[in-house]
């Protein structure tokens, strides 16, 4: 009987004291961790380097010629019969906005040989093959738009991934022109500065601080010329350099 009475009293005391103790305990709401939202790459500066294989194409060369019986020098057009082949290497500095747009300034060195014209027997001692050996320095200001190939919101995501890009550039080309001529014929070497522009398209992969891409670049050079005096002045207008180019970019802030 005493044990039963003691058990009832203990249960009653616990029922009375429980709410009092709970009222004295501080209340801490649960903490829920919310991950940051990935809005893509934030603005960042970058350095870039590139290398490419090139093909040089132009419609025709212009030169001063005199056919017998010579009535005076006239500007004559000679179609190019072979394309030129070579390479380019370049470097640049740029900024990406994090919205898909990026901008950079690039300087490229281009070497190309083999662009050729042939003058027929009617040109006498000047008949034969003439081959253009070109060395150019291209300075371009460029703008690009990067778009995700994996469904990112802007450009490519901060977590990295595959992307495509399109771009355009404009600037100047400083050209050194050497012409290999038939035996006994001398065509002076020379240089000129010309307007240049470029269009780019390609694909790449963002690894984080390093971004790699490969693509096509078409470079337009308004004129190639040896800038020599008449009658040794030769030139070609509306020239195109076609490139398959690989690029690495390194981001830093």
């Amino acid at each position: 009987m005493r044990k039963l009475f003691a058990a009832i009293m203990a249960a009653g005391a616990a029922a009375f004291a429980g709410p009092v103790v709970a009222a004295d305990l501080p209340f801490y709401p649960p903490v829920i961790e919310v991950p940051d939202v990935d809005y893509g790459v934030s603005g960042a500066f970058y350095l870039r380097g590139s290398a490419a294989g090139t093909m040089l194409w132009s419609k025709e060369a212009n030169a001063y010629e005199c056919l017998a019986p010579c009535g005076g020098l006239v500007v004559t057009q000679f179609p190019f019969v072979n394309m030129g082949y070579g390479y380019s290497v370049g470097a640049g500095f740029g900024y990406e906005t994090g919205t898909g747009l990026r901008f950079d300034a690039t300087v490229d060195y281009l070497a190309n040989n083999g662009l050729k014209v042939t003058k027929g027997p009617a040109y006498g001692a000047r008949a034969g093959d003439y081959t253009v050996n070109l060395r150019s320095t291209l300075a371009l200001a460029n703008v690009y738009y990067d778009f995700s190939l994996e469904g990112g919101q802007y450009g490519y995501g901060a977590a990295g991934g595959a992307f495509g890009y399109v771009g355009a550039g404009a600037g100047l080309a400083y050209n050194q022109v050497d012409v290999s001529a038939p035996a006994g014929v001398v065509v002076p070497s020379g240089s000129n500065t010309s307007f240049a522009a470029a269009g780019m398209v390609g694909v790449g992969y963002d690894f984080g601080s390093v971004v790699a891409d490969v693509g096509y670049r078409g470079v337009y050079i308004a004129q190639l010329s040896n800038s020599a005096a008449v009658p040794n002045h030769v030139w070609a207008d509306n020239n195109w350099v076609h490139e398959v180019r690989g690029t690495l970019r390194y981001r830093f802030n």
Side-chain angles (χ1 to χ4, degrees), residues 210-239:
V210 175
V211 183
D213 69 67
V214 63
Y216 166 80
R217 181 172 76 161
V219 179
Y220 171 77
I221 302 177
Q223 186 177 87
L224 303 175
S225 171
N226 70 345
S227 299
V230 176
N232 295 312
H233 182 43
V234 295
W235 71 98
D237 296 323
N238 303 318
N239 310 277

Side-chain angles (χ1 to χ4, degrees), residues 156-208:
Y156 39 90
F163 66 96
Y165 71 90
V166 294
L172 296 174
Y174 174 76
N175 311 300
Q176 177 68 37
V177 177
D178 299 314
V179 179
S180 299
V185 180
V186 177
V187 179
S189 299
S191 62
N192 77 307
T193 300
S194 172
F195 171 76
M200 292 81 76
V201 62
V203 296
Y205 198 89
D206 174 19
F207 295 94

Side-chain angles (χ1 to χ4, degrees), residues 135-157:
R135 302 292 182 268
S136 289
T137 300
L138 302 171
L140 300 176
N142 309 286
V143 59
Y144 313 82
Y145 181 71
D146 297 333
F147 52 92
S148 175
L149 298 179
E150 299 182 348
Q153 181 179 5
Y154 297 120
Y156 39 90

Side-chain angles (χ1 to χ4, degrees), residues 35-41 153 156-160:
D36 294 334
V37 178
D38 178 10
Y39 292 106
V41 177
Q153 181 179 5
Y156 39 90

Side-chain angles (χ1 to χ4, degrees), residues 8-212:
I8 292 173
M9 292 298 293
F16 176 80
V20 176
V21 173
D24 292 337
L25 292 176
F27 175 73
Y28 296 101
V31 177
I32 301 175
E33 295 289 340
V34 179
D36 294 334
V37 178
D38 178 10
Y39 292 106
V41 177
S42 60
F45 291 97
Y46 62 84
L47 292 173
R48 61 172 292 159
S50 63
T54 69
M55 293 189 302
L56 173 62
W57 178 89
S58 188
K59 182 180 179 182
E60 60 194 14
N62 301 278
Y64 288 90
E65 288 291 346
C66 181
L67 286 172
C70 185
L73 293 172
V74 294
V75 176
T76 307
Q77 286 76 40
F78 299 93
F80 285 106
V81 296
N82 279 359
M83 297 182 70
Y85 297 90
Y87 68 92
S88 70
V89 291
F93 176 79
Y95 180 78
E96 56 185 313
T97 65
T99 65
L101 285 174
R102 57 185 168 93
F103 309 87
D104 61 34
T106 56
V107 176
D108 294 86
Y109 172 78
L110 182 148
N112 195 282
N113 300 321
L115 188 67
K116 184 172 73 173
V117 302
T118 300
K119 295 182 180 181
Y123 293 96
R126 297 180 65 81
D129 295 332
Y130 294 75
T131 303
V132 177
N133 303 305
L134 175 66
R135 302 292 182 268
S136 289
T137 300
L138 302 171
L140 300 176
N142 309 286
V143 59
Y144 313 82
Y145 181 71
D146 297 333
F147 52 92
S148 175
L149 298 179
E150 299 182 348
Q153 181 179 5
Y154 297 120
Y156 39 90
F163 66 96
Y165 71 90
V166 294
L172 296 174
Y174 174 76
N175 311 300
Q176 177 68 37
V177 177
D178 299 314
V179 179
S180 299
V185 180
V186 177
V187 179
S189 299
S191 62
N192 77 307
T193 300
S194 172
F195 171 76
M200 292 81 76
V201 62
V203 296
Y205 198 89
D206 174 19
F207 295 94
S209 60
V210 175
V211 183

